[in-house]
Amino acid sequence: MTTRDATAVLTLNAGSSSLKIGLFSAALEAMASGHVDRIGGEGSLTLRRADGALLALPDGVTADFSDHARSLATAIGALRALFPGLGIAAVGHRVVHGGPDHRGPIVIRGDALARLAAFEPFAPLHQPHNLAGIRAAIDAFPHAVQVACFDTAFHRGHPFVHDTFALPRALYDKGVRRYGFHGLSYDYVSGALARDWPALAGGRVIVAHLGNGASMCAMKAGRSVASTMGFSALDGLPMGTRCGQLDPGVVLYLMQQEGMDADAISDLLYRRSGLLGLSDLSNDMRRLEASDTPGAREAIDHFVFRIQREIGGLAAALRGLDGVVFCGGIGENSRMIRARVAEGMGWLGIQVDPGRNAANGPVISPDGAPVTVLTIPTDEEIVIARATAALSAQKEQVPA
Ligand code: ADP
């Protein structure tokens, strides 16, 4: 099938052992989603219709999850059986790192993949898997347009003062900068604000993306001016299993006194810290909220305190505050965390109305409050799908 016959858009988010797939119609309506887990292990594929209903693996589809390429082939086989005549015109990829220069999505052609591979050292736990997803998709859909959408791109307009660490200039020039991540989610929220809350969209807004990964972004007139994540996706807020902001002296101590090497420290900071490490119970906020252990309580206390502290810092970067938006699994669903974050933040104008908060918003601040507080369910897949459709339409007009 050529791109001329094909109309659907696929989105791919490839992790170390997982693959998230979104299928969109030509009109960019969500059709289905797929989630492959435990690639290289026992592997499984969960397929859902756009309304969330589970879809059974169709008869005759061979399930092979031994690597990314075979997992993608399995998922595509299932989608083709479920949607006869399906033709994929373009595939949009979530790529964690676009390096210092990419301020928006790009079409993968020429040496683009090799250039993105040069950023693997900046995000060794994510970038190689994202690129493996692109290679698998090129093999599966050689005629489709492939588009890379970067988690870093939304933040690349940061002013120098926020972009740099106080390290020798040569390291900045080599790319050791504060990049910021979760940019696709912030891009979605920025668009939703412009559409539904135009007065606020023109102002100073802090967006709190609180999920397993968590960060916050200070936006002025819809553009990122600062964020809590820095060079890696470890910085800023504590997360499910990641430490958040850490004195670099701790890393030196772990090396020099505890004899830990880079792999052991990486495992500690990415997989065994955050809510899990502090609570000694779970990385999952629902479990912590339901638990009465001191560890669970202290982990939540620390999470809330760090959010409040960073709100103070981001409000200073914005020179004031007009709005706060909560998104991500915790931000969209946890009434308790939203209420706790607002507690004691009245000095900055942040107030939460208990009834509105219990109803999950979208507005959860009282009428007339100085700061409008919202919940906005984020949607990174539709951001990828829209960018992919837009770039592939341009590419059809201008042949490579
Ligand atoms: P990811 O970063 O992996 O995309 P999500 O955005 O899905 O993660 O967020 C996962 C987090 O959201 C988990 O900690 C989960 O417990 C939390 N969460 C989801 N629903 C609720 C809820 N109703 N109350 C509290 N926390 C919730």
Side-chain angles (χ1 to χ4, degrees):
M1 186 171 288
T2 67
T3 49
R4 216 168 285 281
D5 310 313
T7 56
V9 173
L10 204 64
T11 61
L12 279 194
N13 181 353
S16 57
S17 62
S18 70
L19 197 56
K20 289 186 198 152
I21 298 165
L23 179 64
F24 293 82
S25 70
L28 296 184
E29 280 158 351
M31 295 165 70
S33 65
H35 193 158
V36 183
D37 257 326
R38 297 187 299 276
I39 295 174
E42 60 215 63
S44 65
L45 168 64
T46 310
L47 287 167
R48 290 183 190 278
R49 271 201 328 237
D51 62 6
L54 273 174
L55 290 162
L57 192 69
D59 290 340
V61 176
T62 314
D64 183 347
F65 305 110
S66 47
D67 58 24
H68 283 83
R70 292 190 181 96
S71 300
L72 179 61
T74 302
I76 296 305
L79 290 172
R80 284 208 165 112
L82 289 163
F83 300 95
L86 181 69
I88 305 295
V91 187
H93 300 265
R94 181 176 188 172
V95 176
V96 69
H97 222 297
D101 299 326
H102 289 306
R103 291 175 177 230
I106 60 164
V107 174
I108 298 289
R109 57 181 149 190
D111 65 350
L113 254 184
R115 282 189 281 118
L116 295 183
F119 305 132
E120 285 184 358
F122 291 166
L125 300 185
H126 296 96
Q127 191 86 342
H129 307 296
N130 299 159
L131 302 190
I134 298 182
R135 290 190 195 96
I138 291 172
D139 285 348
F141 308 105
H143 302 294
V145 180
Q146 308 281 339
V147 172
C149 301
F150 306 110
D151 269 311
T152 48
F154 188 73
H155 304 291
R156 289 321 296 147
H158 278 173
F160 177 77
V161 286
H162 186 73
D163 202 35
T164 192
F165 299 102
L167 290 169
R169 198 64 180 234
L171 284 168
Y172 180 84
D173 296 338
K174 280 187 178 171
V176 180
R177 303 181 186 192
R178 294 184 56 90
Y179 288 97
F181 298 88
H182 289 134
L184 301 171
S185 173
Y186 294 129
D187 197 347
Y188 179 83
V189 171
S190 172
L193 284 174
R195 189 187 61 221
D196 300 332
W197 313 92
L200 197 54
R204 301 157 298 179
V205 177
I206 293 174
V207 183
H209 176 108
L210 309 177
N212 261 320
S215 72
M216 295 200 291
C217 174
M219 284 185 206
K220 201 176 251 176
R223 300 165 81 100
S224 171
V225 296
S227 71
T228 58
M229 273 183 177
F231 177 69
S232 72
L234 281 176
D235 201 5
L237 303 178
M239 302 170 225
T241 62
R242 289 175 247 163
C243 58
Q245 189 266 327
L246 187 73
D247 178 343
V250 174
V251 176
L252 297 175
Y253 169 85
L254 295 173
M255 290 167 68
Q256 291 166 344
Q257 309 303 325
E258 299 282 320
M260 292 172 75
D261 64 12
D263 286 346
I265 295 174
S266 172
D267 182 59
L268 174 78
L269 301 184
Y270 275 97
R271 298 199 181 89
R272 296 194 288 123
S273 297
L275 297 173
L276 173 67
L278 260 183
S279 68
D280 211 10
L281 178 72
S282 174
N283 63 311
D284 193 295
M285 186 55 82
R286 276 168 296 198
R287 269 200 77 192
L288 298 181
E289 286 190 13
S291 164
D292 55 10
T293 63
R297 202 179 55 242
E298 285 166 358
I300 292 176
D301 288 349
H302 180 73
F303 184 65
V304 169
F305 171 69
R306 292 298 318 188
I307 294 170
Q308 292 177 324
R309 227 187 102 150
E310 293 290 341
I311 286 177
L314 295 175
L318 288 169
R319 309 286 190 254
L321 190 62
D322 302 306
V324 171
V325 178
F326 287 96
C327 65
I330 298 171
E332 289 161 30
N333 297 300
S334 176
R335 300 158 176 85
M336 189 271 271
I337 293 292
R338 293 192 304 251
R340 290 275 315 270
V341 167
E343 250 173 52
M345 296 295 281
W347 63 274
L348 197 52
I350 299 174
Q351 297 163 26
V352 160
D353 174 83
R356 290 179 172 180
N357 188 34
N360 258 344
V363 180
I364 61 171
S365 47
D367 289 339
V371 171
T372 304
V373 186
L374 301 169
T375 61
I376 296 183
T378 195
D379 188 346
E380 290 150 318
E381 270 68 36
I382 191 68
V383 172
I384 299 174
R386 283 180 192 148
T388 302
L391 283 189
S392 70
Q394 278 176 23
K395 187 162 182 269
E396 270 181 23
Q397 285 160 16
V398 187

